[in-house]
């Protein structure tokens, strides 16, 4: 290394190690570690193997040994998730080093056990989602194929896990869990969104479901559908006001085709069909059928392009 | 662990280990293992290194040792893919434990060898895809750059592999292979779709190509384009009828711009250009030029939002 | 293995190992290795831990030991990135084996040190991006959450790294870096695009930003927005002419909603709001408000579908 | 690579790949794979965690979840050991490809289950070995410390596992198992050796116990002790005659000190103490006390050395 | 799996999971985890890289970046060793779950910091050991070769680390550390043994140095030398009395040749040379020269053997 | 971390990072990396799979694909060993940064190719060693078992590899290679030792063979045998004089039993048998038979001990 480079590198190290030069992106304030994205990935992999034994994790399970594998996995889940829940709670805790934080720590095992207790219900709901996906897809050849390789089921599974943790008021982890699914599938469902049974997302890339969305039974969304917010009111300091209901309500048995954008606290009435590539910022009554304006045919000479 | 948590966990283990409580999402019925997604990922990585030596896998290959690396990789491929093909066939086999299943098992080596024999053809077709991508992208600086980092080529490679396995009637694996590409690139091509040479997908996130689509020579699709199905006929039990031709036919030299949705068994005539964000559910003749209705300019005051 | 299969495999190995049968997708010409995508992934992971200490990499950092971890990481970065920069330069070098190539090799340490010297500036700009994301999202509960799990920040970080390497004229690596972010987030930003501070991409799946785009301060894009090119002029051989300004200019404070496609060297005037699902191939003046034509309501009977 | 080197390498590859040039060290004759030393290492690690739960493997076990971890581990053991037993049997099988070999294959699950059934007995015997080690070592502070870090217990555990497989007439694997312990501890016990309870090896490096040795209750050996064979009779072809009793019998309560060599089918009578560095090729009656001839004191001047 | 095997396995699981069937080899009593041998291996690897930078760990260190790598490694050591020290202390703690145990926990960081503070002294002493090894071995070509590949230095390094932890009264870990060296080198030095500077072990396999041994300056031992205990007094319950001085004192400048056994609290006077294969259970004055009785030459006819 | 600990750690980092405080154990002088023990382990594993295909590495090899695996492994060996040879040479090079060092670098590929060319000869010699081991061990059931699990063959293989590199005057690597075998088997053979065909080491723990030893055809050594040096002459500075013939010559067909020590440049005449636990510092004529003095029987009362 030449002197000039040595100088550049030493200066950069000093600069990046100087807490006074951080404006806002500072290190986590106290010595408690943040949740680990890598650990969370292992935890979700474990839950997937618990919910769908034989499909993920061990692939030679047999009925008479299932309980051992299930027991081992759930015991591991209890240990590993407790630790991440503790970190998530500590992250929000104002005084992580004193007795207060000890209280936080005591919460994590019981929250984790409460979550684990819900797993059989989650499996039950997911069975409905899988059945609905199978019923609605002529290309699907078996429910096993769907569990195995459909990104919609992948994303909904992560959402239902994350939503349960949200209900238990565990901070930070739910968002990490849904973002994992987002990265793997292109489907971005906020953990706060409330979604009923029999939910189908087909293909799914580009789907966005905002935090205050409410989705009824047996709804089907195609790729690229957004359930988003319009612009939102600001408070006196010019910051967005938090907690306002700002995303759509989609009632039972609605289908929304690819790439359509629905914004604001509007209601899509039950049984409606919304065509693709539509921009929709108003409510529509039950059994509506909404389509984009018919496209226009233009003259053109190749070479001009579009 | 406190008593309450111990109780919650023990109950959950029992519940999730009880086969009688599974409604539909049961374990694979017989003792034969399902295909392994992890193994398939390694197999596809191997095939990519075989098709594009020096780009993936070993990065110091030289002409005079190429045959050894190629030989080793193809021998490994034969072993590892045979096993996964066997699992895929067994998955569909009604009697995996008896002599019938033995027949299944005997099929897998010959199917695998038939697949391997097609690899030189696949490479030849992919060269056309790469050349077409290069010709159509002013930002591309070399074909190497395209092999290396263009998601379109990644997805088309997986599709052409999966399609070949589909032609050999190998179950389950093709879908796993295309879903891997979908997760990595956001491009979802059904393995059954028939796609001719010189195919280009630019950027590609959100592209969906349905199972019965047929795509001609030198077609170019941009990100977010869907070639999908309209609603489909149900049989007397209310299940979708399988195997109907329900996706578009796209003829030679067609370009479809970003986010456009084409649904149903319609034909896009050769040489047509379809603009972006269009919803199209009808056939268009050759050399058509179709655009979305012109957007409207609205008045607004900042603060109202849209 | 039966004789037939043995024959098929031997023939395939010979075929794929014969340099004369390669039409165009040949191995890299000289013995110098290509950049390694796997190594680049580790390098980017390292830079992310340098820019956001405590969030990525070690998760127990404390102020008084930060300098050691920073120093070690930057020293590692210098070593590992130098090697990849050398490979990138060699890839373009016409005579990698002679003295000329030696010159290439000498460049890589100084380019790498120049890049490292820019890291504090990158962090400063990214702080603005994070702050803008926080200000614009009522669902965000802290800036930490954004660093941790927002795909927009992930993609912009990779872009700003890649853009810096582009400015230093390092070949091949920038494209690999942005494609990593594309695969993880569905956001595809060309490393050449020039993007000012306070840039926000929300959700982001399907966003495409072309090579000659210019984006002003405090711009916000939603998922599925394309800043692309129209068809481009060809030279006398029918190849696209490289280097033409062919992507949009987006001025300060513009918002573009989901799935909108803007094509060509058009200008979106400052302060404009473009609604979602719009196809836009013309410039609009400052403070414009552009929406898709209102969707049509159709009659329908369920069973007919759309 | 220069031409000369290219030539050297090509010639070497041809030479080493030519079956006709192998004199004796040929590849395994049929396509069946040999046992995998790596897999066996994992299997032994698993058995150690089964026999000593909490010490090896999971280190947070609790009584109420022990059964799940035990169940999972034993189920894994059944699967993985069955496969290696099958390979071991096939290795000896003269006709591995025909129906005969199928019979071999059918043996492996039942042999494996028979072995597993013996694990509780093995644990019981090992408890005696551990207790005897504790009683005999003033430096040992707890039995846990002994389980954790005493090489003697490590080697005896491997021996007792291997000996059990020997009794079930599983070929090849027992030798691999004892050789693992030999490599880790320097203690080389042949799997055929018969060793009673309460056996102690202290420090142990260099201990050798031959195949036909018989060792009584509560025997203690120090490092470097050999129980070996003298020269052995040859058959008419000049090959050693197999199966002759050629190693020592060591009766109950014998102690043999460091580095002593006992050769041949001699008997060390019960309660005897053999000092260190002794060469002993004759039987000694019960309660004997044998020492090396007293060393001689020599004159010397430093610089001459010895 | 057949019914019989299923039965065998289920019975074994029950048996091994039943705490009542454990006689003595029980699981660790309380929920606190035992030290992890695997973690300890990483910690020792880290310390070796700290003591011998450039030889172990990073192999491209340069003077101007050494401080960063050293700082990172020592910070990691502090974190990881603190945790293992805590586990070691808890293992001995009678009430690990109450406040008492909290006190234990508070000890571990300060003990760890005290240990780290001693590292420069350890390095200084080890430099003398290396120099002495170099001076005494005509085959050694450089001190670097000795650091790199001499098992004696490997074992002495581990001993000096373990001895320091013993002085700090950390339980369990010292023994794990010396046993690692024992397994790798065949040299078994008890952590309590007191060993002065300039200590050389050549080749070393089979060397045993007991807990109460004391070794002076510039002593050299060859392979297979034992400094052990004779039989030891028992207390009234028949258990060995702990803590008695029962191993040899070896004064300055002594050489002991291969395979010699010295037992009991005897003194080998300074400057003595003890030949190989000697059994020595008495003290010898300074400058003694002790050899085995001269071997006898026997008549023999090949075929009779020995 | 408390202030006191923070201070201790910071001081230690400074101390250990200060080059002026190193007395002798300095970092490698120039920026060139030392050979990597970890890389060398992989290289030796590769060579073992080349010499014994099907036993190590791939365990499903078949004759018709052997050449591909062999070719790939030897190509990898060429690349990886060249790099380590270069580092070994650089380590001795006085001016690694200038043109001189470039010359060094140019040597490594040709030395590596010369080594590779010798591999068929090595295999041929090792076949004799294996056959001799089989002939001499009644417990051996096949030559495959010997290749698979006999530590003697492991150690001799490493020695013959290392010796070949020694003949090519490659520094440092040979010693690393033999030390690997020493750690795994307890057998320490100096790479300079000259050993003829048909060499057998049984069990082997504790065997030491010094640098200037010469061993004839069909020699057999048991565990714990030392062929070592007596004290050696010093030069005027008191350093040992290098390069003197100071280890034994063992002629053809000699057997030496366990734990015997032979020191100095003495000759063990052909056909001799040396019993175990003998200390031998003089030459013996051909066909000698040497035994330890007969041990003495002592009276004793249990409780007195020895």
């Amino acid at each position: 290394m030449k002197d000039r480079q040595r100088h550049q590198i030493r200066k950069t190290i000093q600069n990046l190690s100087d807490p006074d030069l951080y404006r806002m992106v500072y290190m986590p304030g106290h010595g408690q570690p943040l949740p680990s994205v890598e650990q969370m990935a292992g935890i979700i992999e474990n839950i997937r193997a618990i919910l769908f034994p034989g499909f993920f994790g061990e692939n030679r399970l047999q009925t008479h040994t299932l309980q051992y594998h299930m027991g081992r996995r759930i015991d591991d889940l209890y240990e590993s998730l407790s630790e991440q829940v503790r970190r998530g709670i500590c992250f929000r805790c104002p005084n992580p080093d004193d007795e207060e934080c000890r209280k936080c720590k005591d919460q994590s095992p019981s929250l984790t056990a409460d979550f684990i207790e819900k797993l059989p219900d989650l499996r039950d709901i997911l069975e409905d989602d899988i059945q609905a996906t199978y019923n609605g897809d002529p290309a699907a050849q078996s429910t096993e194929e769907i569990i195995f390789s459909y990104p919609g089921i992948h994303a909904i599974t992560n959402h239902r896990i994350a939503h349960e943790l949200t209900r238990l008021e565990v901070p930070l982890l739910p968002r990490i869990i849904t973002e994992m699914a987002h990265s793997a599938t292109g489907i971005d469902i906020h953990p706060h969104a409330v979604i009923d049974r029999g939910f189908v997302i087909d293909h799914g890339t580009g789907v966005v479901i905002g935090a205050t969305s409410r989705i009824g039974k047996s709804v089907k969304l195609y790729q690229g559908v957004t359930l988003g917010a319009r612009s939102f009111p600001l408070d006196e300091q010019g910051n967005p006001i938090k907690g306002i209901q700002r995303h759509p309500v989609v009632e039972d048995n609605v289908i929304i085709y690819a790439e359509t954008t629905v914004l604001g606290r509007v209601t899509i009435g039950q049984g409606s069909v919304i065509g693709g590539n539509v921009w929709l910022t108003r409510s529509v009554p039950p059994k509506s059928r909404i389509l984009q304006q018919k496209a226009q045919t233009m003259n053109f000479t190749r070479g001009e392009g579009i």
Side-chain angles (χ1 to χ4, degrees), chain A:
Chain A
M1 214 187 286
K2 295 187 190 140
D3 280 353
R4 181 174 137 73
Q5 292 154 27
R6 199 167 298 173
H7 172 72
Q8 287 175 300
I9 282 174
R10 184 175 302 138
K11 196 184 62 186
T12 304
I13 292 171
Q14 283 169 1
N15 190 328
L16 288 174
S17 303
D18 182 351
D20 296 343
L21 295 184
Y22 281 71
R23 227 179 343 135
M24 179 209 62
V25 184
Y26 40 85
M27 282 197 301
H30 46 71
Q32 300 299 325
L34 286 177
S36 157
V37 171
E38 199 178 8
Q39 299 284 317
M40 285 307 301
I43 286 169
I44 294 302
E45 205 176 325
N46 191 12
I47 296 177
R48 215 180 294 279
I50 287 167
L51 293 173
F52 304 116
F55 290 91
F56 303 101
E58 303 79 13
N59 55 17
R60 274 179 198 275
L61 284 185
Q62 291 181 291
T63 307
H64 70 284
T65 55
L66 177 56
Q67 62 169 318
Y68 303 121
H69 292 274
M70 199 57 89
R72 196 264 307 188
R73 284 189 170 277
I74 287 178
D75 190 37
D76 286 354
L77 176 60
Y78 177 77
E79 287 291 344
S80 54
L81 185 54
S82 288
E83 167 64 14
Q84 298 300 318
V85 167
R86 190 188 67 72
R87 294 185 181 191
I89 294 173
C90 255
F91 170 70
R92 283 283 155 74
C93 172
N95 306 307
D97 286 331
D98 69 2
E99 200 50 35
E100 201 62 25
C101 186
R102 173 152 305 273
K103 240 188 288 172
C104 296
K105 183 171 179 177
D106 293 345
Q107 283 190 300
S108 59
S110 69
L111 288 173
T112 302
D114 289 348
F115 169 76
I116 286 173
E117 201 175 14
K118 287 285 184 185
L119 286 174
D121 288 352
L122 283 192
R123 192 179 71 184
D124 189 66
I125 296 172
L126 285 165
E127 290 192 46
D128 275 359
D129 298 331
I130 292 163
Q131 189 65 53
T133 301
Y134 180 73
N135 290 347
D137 184 358
Q141 304 196 11
S142 66
T143 51
E144 283 89 348
E145 183 182 343
I146 288 168
I147 297 171
F148 223 45
S149 64
Y150 272 49
I153 291 303
H154 183 119
I156 297 165
T157 302
N158 277 35
H159 170 71
R160 298 208 184 280
I161 293 165
H163 187 65
E164 199 58 44
L165 289 170
T166 297
R167 284 186 354 95
L168 295 168
E169 300 185 17
V170 175
L172 217 47
L173 304 193
R175 191 65 201 247
I176 292 173
I177 293 169
T178 54
E179 187 52 32
M180 277 175 201
H182 186 194
S183 179
T185 67
I187 299 170
D188 186 1
I189 313 178
H190 196 282
H192 283 198
V194 178
I195 303 176
D196 211 330
R197 286 165 175 269
F199 184 51
V200 179
I201 297 176
D202 207 3
H203 309 296
T205 310
V207 163
V208 173
I209 299 175
T212 65
S213 305
R214 300 187 71 88
I215 296 180
K217 287 195 175 52
S218 302
V219 166
K220 180 171 190 176
L221 305 185
Y222 282 90
Q223 62 274 17
V225 167
T226 293
L227 305 179
R230 301 177 69 167
S231 57
F232 29 76
L234 307 181
D235 65 15
E236 295 174 2
Q237 283 76 41
N239 293 325
I241 299 174
K242 309 251 164 182
I244 289 177
Q245 303 296 322
R246 60 198 183 279
H247 299 99
V249 175
V250 179
E251 295 184 349
D252 297 352
N253 299 307
V254 164
I255 301 177
I256 307 180
Y257 278 86
E259 313 297 339
T260 279
T261 307
V262 186
L263 296 198
R265 188 55 165 193
V266 302
T267 297
I268 309 298
Q270 62 87 7
S272 294
V273 175
I274 314 295
N277 300 93
V278 167
W279 164 258
L280 193 63
T281 57
R282 56 185 165 97
S283 293
V284 301
K287 293 193 178 293
S288 297
R289 184 175 184 240
I290 307 289
L291 295 185
Q292 193 195 46
Q293 291 286 339
K294 185 162 181 255
Q296 40 184 340
T297 305
M298 317 289 281
N299 300 324
F300 83 117
T301 321
R302 190 71 194 248
E304 288 180 26
I306 57 168

